Amino acid sequence: MNKKYVTGMAAIILGASMMLAACGGNNESNANGKQEGAGAVKTESDSGVVNVFTARHYDIDFAMFDEFEKATGITVNEIKGTAEELVERMKREGENTEADLFITVDGGILNYAKENGVLQPIDSDAILANVPESLRDTDNQWVGLATRARVIVYDKELVKPEQLSTYEDLAGEQWKGKVLVRSSSNLYNQSLVASMIDLNGEAETEKWAQGLVGNFARDPEGGDRDQAKGIAAGVGEVAIMNTYYIGQMLNSKEAEEVKVAESVGVFFPNQETTGTHLNISGIGLAAHAKNKDNALKLVEYMTSKEGQEMLTNGSFEFPVNKDAELPALLKEWGEFKTQTIDFAKLGENNKAATALMTKVGWK
């Protein structure tokens, strides 16, 4: 596997390695290394492995797994797929599953895994101390790894921050033909709408979504980065995006991406009302984990101060561990008020959200 390490983090990696050495480096390293896709992985006969079913595909995750391996001698096997595919595989395999851990993005999907019976409670005091109660499952069947805010990104030349206020305001006449956002099939948008249903009710949310669609500068297309590029190209003036994309673009090796990111500003909406929508990346312990001790060691590392600093410096997501130092960019954005809904609601309201978006013509 080709892994790209994040630069400028030598001190963080050193600290993480020192912490990991205390996690139990007595296990012998496995010579076969990582696996990808649905190939065979090592199971209960091997004490020095942990099998991770992951729907996250970020370079920084790979780098963290490598640091964990080097410091503990525990080999991390990655089995990749969509979250739904991995959950269904874990259900189908039952007690014979190879999965020790399940990683994905979105609180609704994490709750979906819990409801399908493929997770079990995480019984580690260290992990629960690392992750606040608000960022983990009520039964501790999953804990947060990082959070991501879905914000309003704006053209610095055409829009002043004081013109912005709430998600709801984007449905107003002043934004006619100026709003950019990706499609209704995108889970991030579905969860944003699901959160608004929880906070404002279906009727008000439908009215808002109808107004928002009427203000689209173009039919939804591309990913979050493409919305920022649309602003830079003069297609629209404001966009709904996750913050970490701006962080990644500002630190991109592609000069054009940096230029685009420098031309836009980040605004955290609903600070005087319900707060900015927050979603989560999380990790759960598989119900039939055969390498439970190793799995808990990996989660302990990933949620530790050192692990969280490595993660946030690589992904520009927000850390879940309050002791983790923020990258300079995240510090510049400052503190902000967040929505306080249960992340499970994102999944519970997903069907209503997608039906609503279809109804109002959100393509």
Side-chain angles (χ1 to χ4, degrees), residues 115-147:
E115 289 182 338
N116 277 274
V118 300
L119 303 179
Q120 64 173 298
I122 294 173
D123 55 354
S124 163
D125 291 340
I127 294 169
L128 300 185
N130 288 338
V131 184
E133 187 176 0
S134 61
L135 298 178
R136 60 180 195 253
D137 172 56
T138 53
D139 299 314
N140 296 327
Q141 291 203 16
W142 58 262
V143 300
L145 288 177
T147 62

Side-chain angles (χ1 to χ4, degrees), residues 163-175 208 215 270:
Q163 293 177 260
L164 301 167
S165 58
T166 64
Y167 299 110
E168 291 86 345
D169 181 66
L170 293 181
E173 280 295 319
Q174 66 271 34
W175 302 112
W208 165 75
N215 286 347
N270 295 71

Side-chain angles (χ1 to χ4, degrees), residues 158-356:
L158 301 177
V159 178
K160 295 181 174 60
E162 52 265 32
Q163 293 177 260
L164 301 167
S165 58
T166 64
Y167 299 110
E168 291 86 345
D169 181 66
L170 293 181
E173 280 295 319
Q174 66 271 34
W175 302 112
K176 191 75 173 179
K178 298 178 180 179
V179 178
L180 295 167
V181 68
R182 61 201 294 181
S183 76
S184 61
S185 64
N186 173 247
L187 184 60
Y188 302 149
N189 286 336
Q190 292 173 6
S191 288
L192 170 62
V193 175
S195 74
M196 296 184 74
I197 288 174
D198 189 68
L199 294 167
N200 302 329
E202 283 192 47
E204 282 300 311
T205 302
E206 180 179 330
K207 181 179 178 183
W208 165 75
Q210 184 74 66
L212 186 72
V213 169
N215 286 347
F216 284 173
R218 65 182 179 196
D219 286 343
E221 63 178 59
D224 273 18
R225 286 182 177 86
D226 295 302
Q227 311 317 312
K229 291 174 182 177
I231 291 177
V235 177
E237 295 182 10
V238 294
I240 299 174
M241 290 180 58
N242 283 352
T243 48
Y244 67 88
Y245 285 106
I246 297 299
Q248 291 174 4
M249 292 175 75
L250 285 169
N251 288 271
S252 173
K253 291 182 178 179
E254 297 182 18
E256 188 58 33
E257 279 206 342
V258 176
K259 183 178 179 181
V260 167
E262 289 176 342
S263 72
V264 299
V266 171
F267 182 84
F268 293 87
N270 295 71
Q271 292 304 284
E272 302 300 322
T273 58
T274 54
T276 296
H277 173 64
L278 200 72
N279 210 327
I280 196 163
S281 288
I283 187 166
L285 180 64
H288 302 289
K290 298 177 180 66
N291 302 291
K292 182 177 177 180
D293 289 345
N294 292 344
L296 292 176
K297 287 175 184 176
L298 179 56
V299 180
E300 181 179 344
Y301 160 57
M302 296 185 78
T303 58
S304 69
K305 177 181 182 296
E306 294 83 1
Q308 287 280 288
E309 288 176 355
M310 186 175 181
L311 179 61
T312 191
N313 274 277
S315 69
F316 295 96
E317 296 168 283
F318 293 96
V320 296
N321 189 320
K322 62 180 177 58
D323 295 328
E325 185 81 9
L326 294 176
L329 176 63
L330 273 60
K331 287 181 180 178
E332 289 175 14
W333 288 340
E335 296 184 358
F336 58 96
K337 177 182 176 181
T338 65
Q339 292 176 349
T340 57
I341 69 170
D342 184 343
F343 287 109
K345 294 292 184 180
L346 304 184
E348 293 171 10
N349 293 336
N350 181 269
K351 186 175 181 180
T354 54
L356 183 156

Side-chain angles (χ1 to χ4, degrees), residues 11 25 34 50 61 96 101 132 154 212 216 232 236 249 264 284 286 289 345:
K34 290 182 173 64
V50 56
D61 291 12
N96 295 319
L101 292 170
Y154 61 93
L212 186 72
F216 284 173
M249 292 175 75
V264 299
K345 294 292 184 180

